[in-house]
Amino acid sequence: GQPAGDPEEHPVGEADLVTAGDRVLRFLEAKGFATKSEILRSNWRHISAFDLDIVLATFVSGNLVAERSQGNQILYYPIVQTRGVKP
């Protein structure tokens, strides 16, 4: 067992998840909105359904993405960011 807080505890795929998350965010920004199945259909080579759930939950918690129910589906929208804009 590793001691708590040991750097070895980080999952091996963490950097891959960041890359996949960036791809998902860019996909949403390009499309405007999408369902989880649409995101997965276009990105299945890069992210698993399990990891997509983690990425979307993280983005929603961090106010990068909003979710809205429409009928029996949940749509994900990018929240407009002011990237690179200096106050």
Side-chain angles (χ1 to χ4, degrees):
Q2 299 284 345
D6 191 291
E8 295 298 315
E9 279 191 10
H10 287 292
V12 174
E14 197 167 287
D16 294 335
L17 203 56
V18 170
T19 302
D22 184 59
R23 181 181 293 274
V24 167
L25 199 54
R26 282 186 283 127
F27 175 79
L28 286 173
E29 287 170 345
K31 275 200 60 130
F33 65 90
T35 63
K36 192 182 296 182
S37 64
E38 288 171 331
I39 297 167
L40 201 53
R41 195 176 308 126
S42 291
N43 293 283
W44 64 269
R45 290 179 191 86
H46 309 285
I47 191 167
S48 69
F50 178 79
D51 286 342
L52 180 58
D53 286 343
I54 293 170
V55 164
L56 287 173
T58 302
F59 285 165
V60 169
S61 295
N63 289 324
L64 292 169
V65 169
E67 54 185 9
R68 188 171 81 195
S69 295
Q70 185 165 314
N72 62 347
Q73 294 187 314
I74 297 175
L75 298 178
Y76 294 90
Y77 296 83
I79 294 174
V80 177
Q81 303 296 312
T82 53
R83 284 194 198 130
V85 176
K86 301 266 190 283

